[in-house]
Amino acid sequence: MLQVLRVSVTDHLMTGDRFAVVHDGAGFSRTDKIAAIMKNSLACKTLKVCWAGADQSENCGYCEKCVRTQLNFSAAGAKSSPPCFPSELDVNDIRRIQINNKYQLAELASILAYAREHGVSAPWMPVLQDRLTTWQPVDPGVLERQVNGGVR
Ligand SMILES: [Zn+2]
């Protein structure tokens, strides 16, 4: 199982004599953080995660990150997508999204593991399991370069 290393490599570079960068929250998974956000209705309305949509002020609900975030909410126990997304998650979205690298794959695997650990049962879970099981990098050399620290 792949694991995501949650360490900022820039914190020490951005810290100076009069300004300290304190890395906080690294001990929590993305789904842990979403579980905390779920407790705040304003945060559920205003959460912005998308960088891919045409309208940069909103979540597109279509890109990999939007789909992944909706999966985070479901894994954390949400029965529907929060209002910050334009529509409900469709399991076909999981089949459609492009998983470009092992880091995205590990994030998706962590969401599924979180859901299982917390007794969640949802229709998206076997679909995501299938995506994780059958995933192959588009270019097998990309994975090798990622393992060796070349391409991210
Ligand atoms: Zn998006």
Side-chain angles (χ1 to χ4, degrees), residues 83-143:
C84 62
F85 292 101
S87 61
E88 288 296 319
L89 177 69
D90 183 322
V91 293
N92 289 318
D93 293 335
I94 299 166
R95 294 183 179 104
R96 176 190 48 75
I97 58 171
Q98 187 168 351
I99 304 170
N100 293 314
N101 56 55
K102 67 176 186 171
Y103 302 104
Q104 286 177 321
L105 188 72
E107 282 290 336
L108 291 166
S110 77
I111 294 168
L112 186 58
Y114 185 102
R116 287 178 176 153
E117 290 167 10
H118 290 80
V120 172
S121 178
W124 59 264
M125 294 172 68
V127 177
L128 181 56
Q129 178 62 62
D130 183 59
R131 283 298 312 270
L132 298 174
T133 303
T134 60
W135 180 80
Q136 291 290 318
V138 175
D139 171 8
V142 170
L143 183 58

Side-chain angles (χ1 to χ4, degrees), residues 50-53 59-63 65-66:
C50 182
W51 52 266
N59 296 311
C60 75
Y62 190 80
C63 72
K65 192 168 184 185
C66 281

